[in-house]
Amino acid sequence: METAIGFIGAGNFTEAMIRGLRAAGIDGGRILATTRSRFDRVERFHTTWGIVAVRNKADLVASAPTLILAMKPQDLKDAMAELSPLITDRHLVITVLAGVRCATIEGYVSGAPVVRAMPNLPMAVQASTTALAYGRDAAPEHRSAAKALFALVGDTFEVNEDLMDAVTALSGSGPAYVYLMMEALIDVSLQVGFSLDTAKDMAVQTIFGTAKLVKETGADPADLRRRVTSPGGTTAAGLAVLEERGFRAALIDAVLRATERARELGSR
Ligand SMILES: NC(=O)c1ccc[n+]([C@@H]2O[C@H](COP(=O)([O-])OP(=O)(O)OC[C@H]3O[C@@H](n4cnc5c(N)ncnc54)[C@H](OP(=O)(O)O)[C@@H]3O)[C@@H](O)[C@H]2O)c1
């Protein structure tokens, strides 16, 4: 990333992304952030990561050729009332807003190229899964710039924008599903007598190692599952309970419902 990047909004997303960018070696002087009311948060980002805290949108837009819209979808309209007159076709506008289409952003930023990204929380440790979709004015150089930016904080993949709500529900919300599973594993470990530290370490390392094995070997998860399941054994007994209680069906329904919700939020 050669140019400065400006975050508009200083919430959980911005915090995770800044952390990931700084860990990737991006100079704090090239990262700018502003927000609506909680300027103390931007000041904390400055103190913690050495980024540039900017009080108003006009100064940020003037200094950052790449802009990241990082407010909640319901705050977009108010934010754009201020931003629209400031953004030119020399800016690259990246939106991470769940459910909001590139065309909606294009309606606010006449001529500026728009890229829609859906990263997830592990971006803070450079292990994000980021899906990218491109607006009508995003030329190859804008596409590769956006891709390179998110590649600094993890893996990227390109999707047709019609699949973005599903991405939001899968990899965007996915960490929450895995955290829920982690919580349940910790709860049961405590119930059977492990200390909290051990319970947490076991749950985290089990999930981490499981994902790492698939990632590094490219193996099929279903094959790996069969390999650790001897007929009549302990894993088979545990899996039978999960299937009986609808674990797989519940996860599928969760993703489908979250996809619908992303659509509903985007159309408000
Ligand atoms: N959290 C994630 O991991 C994640 C992942 C992918 C995508 N996203 C997307 O990222 C966006 C932000 O999510 P979040 O979790 O970071 O939300 P959040 O913690 O609620 O932060 C939202 C930020 O937007 C600011 N804001 C609101 N209206 C504004 C305006 N008019 N001008 C400037 N700043 C404004 C808020 O400012 P004040 O608090 O100062 O008023 C706040 O700093 C959402 O659209 C979400 O879909 C989040």
Side-chain angles (χ1 to χ4, degrees):
M1 192 187 66
E2 303 284 309
T3 61
I5 163 175
F7 289 88
I8 299 149
N12 296 315
F13 159 77
T14 297
E15 179 158 17
M17 181 86 183
I18 289 176
R19 203 177 137 185
L21 290 174
R22 292 292 285 122
I26 299 301
D27 193 299
R30 297 227 309 268
I31 304 172
L32 286 65
T34 195
T35 194
R36 175 180 52 188
S37 49
R38 296 277 318 276
F39 195 68
D40 57 302
R41 285 187 66 96
V42 184
E43 282 174 325
R44 183 167 61 74
F45 297 170
H46 165 73
T47 313
T48 313
W49 290 292
I51 66 132
V52 184
V54 183
R55 279 222 172 254
N56 64 66
K57 292 185 178 65
D59 289 344
L60 179 125
V61 172
S63 312
T66 298
L67 300 171
I68 301 201
L69 302 179
M71 67 290 304
K72 294 280 193 206
Q74 57 269 30
D75 293 322
L76 175 69
K77 203 166 162 221
D78 283 353
M80 290 324 275
E82 284 179 82
L83 287 167
S84 290
L86 305 169
I87 295 175
T88 71
D89 58 8
R90 288 187 306 280
H91 285 99
L92 167 61
V93 179
I94 298 176
T95 166
V96 297
L97 277 59
V100 179
R101 295 190 71 88
C102 289
T104 304
I105 306 297
E106 283 162 355
Y108 289 112
V109 295
S110 47
V114 174
V115 173
R116 181 171 168 193
M118 183 45 63
N120 64 7
L121 201 56
M123 67 192 128
V125 291
Q126 294 171 275
S128 178
T129 307
T130 303
L132 296 163
Y134 306 114
R136 65 162 191 240
D137 298 316
E141 67 268 25
H142 305 123
R143 295 170 184 223
S144 37
K147 213 170 161 183
L149 174 63
F150 285 98
L152 290 167
V153 294
D155 290 357
T156 61
F157 58 103
E158 295 168 333
V159 296
N160 181 307
E161 192 175 7
D162 290 339
L163 283 175
M164 267 301 198
D165 291 330
V167 165
T168 306
L170 268 161
S171 54
S173 306
Y177 313 147
V178 178
Y179 292 136
L180 184 65
M181 187 172 156
M182 228 179 243
E183 285 172 57
L185 291 176
I186 292 170
D187 285 350
V188 69
S189 306
L190 293 175
Q191 268 176 40
V192 299
F194 290 105
S195 70
L196 180 59
D197 283 351
T198 307
K200 201 173 153 195
D201 287 350
M202 280 197 317
V204 172
Q205 184 62 15
T206 301
I207 290 171
F208 178 74
T210 303
K212 189 170 171 174
L213 185 64
V214 174
K215 186 150 175 129
E216 291 188 1
T217 61
D220 175 7
D223 278 347
L224 290 173
R225 176 172 53 77
R226 278 189 284 270
R227 260 197 263 163
V228 295
T229 313
S230 339
T234 51
T235 309
L239 285 173
V241 174
L242 285 179
E243 292 289 10
E244 200 181 288
R245 300 275 180 100
F247 181 70
R248 186 193 295 260
L251 267 180
I252 292 170
D253 285 352
V255 172
L256 295 176
R257 176 66 195 115
T259 306
E260 246 173 56
R261 185 66 186 142
R263 229 168 262 145
E264 286 162 15
L265 288 175
S267 61
R268 280 210 305 211

